[in-house]
Amino acid sequence: MDLGRSTLKVLVARTGNALLFFGAIVYFTRALPADRVSAFFLYLALVGLLSIPADLGMRGALEKRLSEGGAPAETLGSALAFKAVSLSVVCVAVVTAGPLIESAIGMPYTGLLVAGLVAQEFGRTYVQAVRGELRVGDTAPIELCRRVVWVGIGVLLVSRGWGARGILVGHVVGRTVEFCWAFLRCRTPIGRPSLARVRSLFAFSKYQTVTAVGGRVYQWMDVVIIGLLLSGRYVSAYEVAWQVTLLVLLLSKSIELNLFPQISRWDTEASTARIESTISRALGAVLFVSIPALVGAAIYAEPVLSLFFGPEYVIASTVLVILMVEKLFQSYNDIVGTSIRAIDRPDLSARAVVVSVGLNLVASPLLVLSIGFEGAAIATGTAWFVNAAMQTRYLSRFVEIGFPLRLVGWYAVASVVMGAALLAVRRAVPVDGVAVLLAQVGVGVGVYLLVSAAIPRVRTRILTPGIAVIRG
């Protein structure tokens, strides 16, 4: 697998995904009342939380075992059999608890919740099966198509008066398209399930489940806590700020998806030197993006929220900046965490998740009650920092982590220069419209790239290889 080209494909698709989602959220927040939009976010939160017991880490285990090679058909058949049982149990529980769930969401959408969960689980299972075949780049158009379908149908139905239900229908249809396409792209046939393969999968998935719980807690627990302790207005504002900061993770997530199966294969071949070199280069790449993004967020948080989503969302300006710090830690952790799991030590990754999630669950409600919904962002950022520190310590036991300290220092210098230029530009030209905002962001990107290009180490380690990948 060509890591550079595959990562570029995923990055392009994920950028398209993010822009589509960003545009859709802008439209939905303006077309629907805040409480209807919060119902959609709560629906996504429930789907995310329910996917944990429905999957029990099996998707990650399937990708890991397929990337190692050996009895792929039997492995896929065993994973699907396990998935069918766990998903059936969860769906029955959801239907039984339907009235309670509908009361929590505020809308009668149990049927859509079950349909969305089933489509999502089988779709994502086959997507990760394709990745396990070391064909991560082939999943890029599948994920982009899923988002196009969801946004297209959601916007159409909302404009026709369907309200929040239209967004959910679009989500279900998009996931169904994802499943059909991934099923057709997967080259591994469905073999006969075996108890030995289920045990092998479960040996990995039991720890992957803990990691998945941590991911869902980080992603949705803040929304749930804010929804319980504050009003729906704060839920929508916090989630909008969260979605904006996710743009920073486009590169790290794209690299993470490609690193996992490749490092897994190298680990079976004992290619330690290649693993170490790749981790160092990956860390240098992701921090090249997340450090200047933090500076930009500190300058433009308020106008971004006001101009794109409306003045009622400006209350999340401080939250956006805090979450951008959290995304700095998370982008680093995306590389380190996936490397630990890829060398078949998901138990260590799970241990770090347990500690950090416990910290988040305790700190988040306490801080929300004491200082407001900014406290949820502080708790999450602190938890990610602890997680990253622990994962780094664990990974260093097996490979040497060549942290690019000098590169990070130069990134900071270039970011400070960029920030100074943007402050001067903003004083001279007030941000009174989307066009002006985008133009100033473009100026900031240009200044950062020019300063970076003038630094030999950054030019040779980051910019030149990046241009080579783009040119193919």
Side-chain angles (χ1 to χ4, degrees):
M1 178 172 64
D2 185 336
L3 278 175
R5 295 296 296 172
S6 183
T7 298
L8 179 61
K9 289 180 182 179
V10 175
L11 178 59
V12 170
R14 292 217 153 196
T15 300
N17 265 334
L19 292 176
L20 283 169
F21 189 80
F22 185 84
I25 294 302
V26 170
Y27 174 78
F28 295 145
T29 54
R30 293 183 178 275
L32 299 173
D35 60 335
R36 300 296 89 181
V37 178
S38 67
F40 163 63
F41 288 134
L42 289 172
Y43 167 88
L44 288 183
L46 282 173
V47 171
L49 292 173
L50 289 171
S51 70
I52 297 171
D55 179 60
L56 293 177
M58 192 53 58
R59 292 192 306 267
L62 174 63
E63 182 179 354
K64 169 62 177 171
R65 298 307 181 219
L66 287 179
S67 66
E68 293 174 343
E74 189 177 321
T75 298
L76 178 58
S78 300
L80 290 174
F82 186 96
K83 168 76 68 177
V85 174
S86 61
L87 184 58
S88 298
V89 172
V90 172
C91 288
V92 170
V94 169
V95 173
T96 303
L100 180 62
I101 294 174
E102 291 174 359
S103 175
I105 297 179
M107 295 183 183
Y109 292 150
T110 301
L112 286 173
L113 183 62
V114 171
L117 183 63
V118 171
Q120 171 182 285
E121 286 308 302
F122 281 109
R124 291 174 68 182
T125 296
Y126 265 94
V127 165
Q128 291 197 248
V130 176
R131 291 173 185 161
E133 297 171 340
L134 299 186
R135 296 165 51 224
V136 179
D138 290 355
T139 65
I142 299 174
E143 294 194 319
L144 180 59
C145 180
R146 182 251 303 172
R147 183 59 56 83
V148 169
V149 171
W150 169 69
V151 171
I153 293 178
V155 170
L156 176 64
L157 294 181
V158 168
S159 67
R160 296 289 181 87
W162 282 51
R165 192 199 324 175
I167 311 176
L168 308 190
V169 170
H171 174 264
V172 174
V173 176
R175 286 295 184 183
T176 302
V177 170
E178 177 185 52
F179 164 66
C180 294
W181 193 347
F183 176 81
L184 294 174
R185 292 294 295 166
C186 183
R187 296 172 181 171
T188 304
I190 302 175
R192 183 176 181 178
S194 74
L195 185 58
R197 289 295 165 184
V198 171
R199 287 173 177 168
S200 175
L201 288 164
F202 189 69
F204 188 94
S205 73
K206 62 184 178 183
Y207 296 112
Q208 185 71 12
T209 301
V210 177
T211 303
V213 169
R216 293 295 179 269
V217 169
Y218 286 130
Q219 185 173 4
W220 295 116
M221 195 56 67
D222 285 348
V223 172
V224 174
I225 291 173
I226 293 170
L228 291 174
L229 301 180
L230 303 175
S231 66
R233 169 173 173 252
Y234 291 100
V235 170
S236 297
Y238 188 93
E239 184 60 24
V240 162
W242 180 276
Q243 294 297 332
V244 171
T245 61
L246 285 179
L247 296 173
V248 180
L249 298 180
L250 288 173
L251 180 59
S252 67
K253 292 298 183 184
S254 300
I255 294 176
E256 176 189 17
L257 289 178
N258 286 274
L259 277 186
F260 181 83
Q262 186 62 77
I263 290 181
S264 175
R265 178 63 59 86
W266 284 339
D267 183 56
T268 61
E269 299 170 354
S271 299
T272 304
R274 300 179 75 178
I275 294 174
E276 293 173 343
S277 174
T278 302
I279 290 174
S280 180
R281 286 187 285 115
L283 289 175
V286 300
L287 295 175
F288 179 73
V289 173
S290 55
I291 291 176
L294 173 58
V295 175
I299 298 173
Y300 289 105
E302 183 175 333
V304 165
L305 293 173
S306 176
L307 293 174
F308 282 105
F309 303 100
E312 64 270 27
Y313 290 92
V314 173
I315 59 174
S317 297
T318 303
V319 167
L320 192 151
V321 176
I322 298 171
L323 289 177
M324 197 63 79
V325 177
E326 175 260 331
K327 293 302 183 292
L328 173 63
F329 301 143
Q330 187 176 347
S331 64
Y332 171 89
N333 202 51
D334 284 343
I335 306 304
V336 177
T338 199
S339 300
I340 294 177
R341 294 189 296 276
I343 62 175
D344 211 14
R345 289 308 305 266
D347 55 317
L348 297 178
S349 182
R351 189 181 303 173
V353 167
V354 169
V355 173
S356 55
V357 165
L359 174 62
N360 196 27
L361 287 176
V362 172
S364 187
L366 292 177
L367 291 176
V368 167
L369 289 173
S370 59
I371 63 176
F373 73 148
E374 293 88 353
I378 294 173
T380 300
T382 303
W384 267 114
F385 174 77
V386 171
N387 195 325
M390 293 183 67
Q391 302 252 34
T392 300
R393 179 185 176 188
Y394 293 145
L395 182 60
S396 63
R397 297 178 182 176
F398 306 97
V399 298
E400 182 179 345
I401 304 176
F403 182 78
L405 185 59
R406 290 187 180 182
L407 274 179
V408 171
W410 286 119
Y411 298 163
V413 170
S415 298
V416 170
V417 174
M418 178 197 74
L422 287 176
L423 287 173
V425 170
R426 189 174 177 185
R427 288 195 189 96
V429 183
V431 182
D432 55 3
V434 173
V436 175
L437 174 62
L438 294 177
Q440 292 191 13
V441 170
V443 169
V445 172
V447 170
Y448 182 72
L449 291 177
L450 285 174
V451 176
S452 298
I455 302 170
R457 182 177 292 270
V458 179
R459 185 174 62 250
T460 57
R461 290 282 301 274
I462 301 298
L463 297 181
T464 301
I467 293 172
V469 169
I470 292 173
R471 288 179 174 175

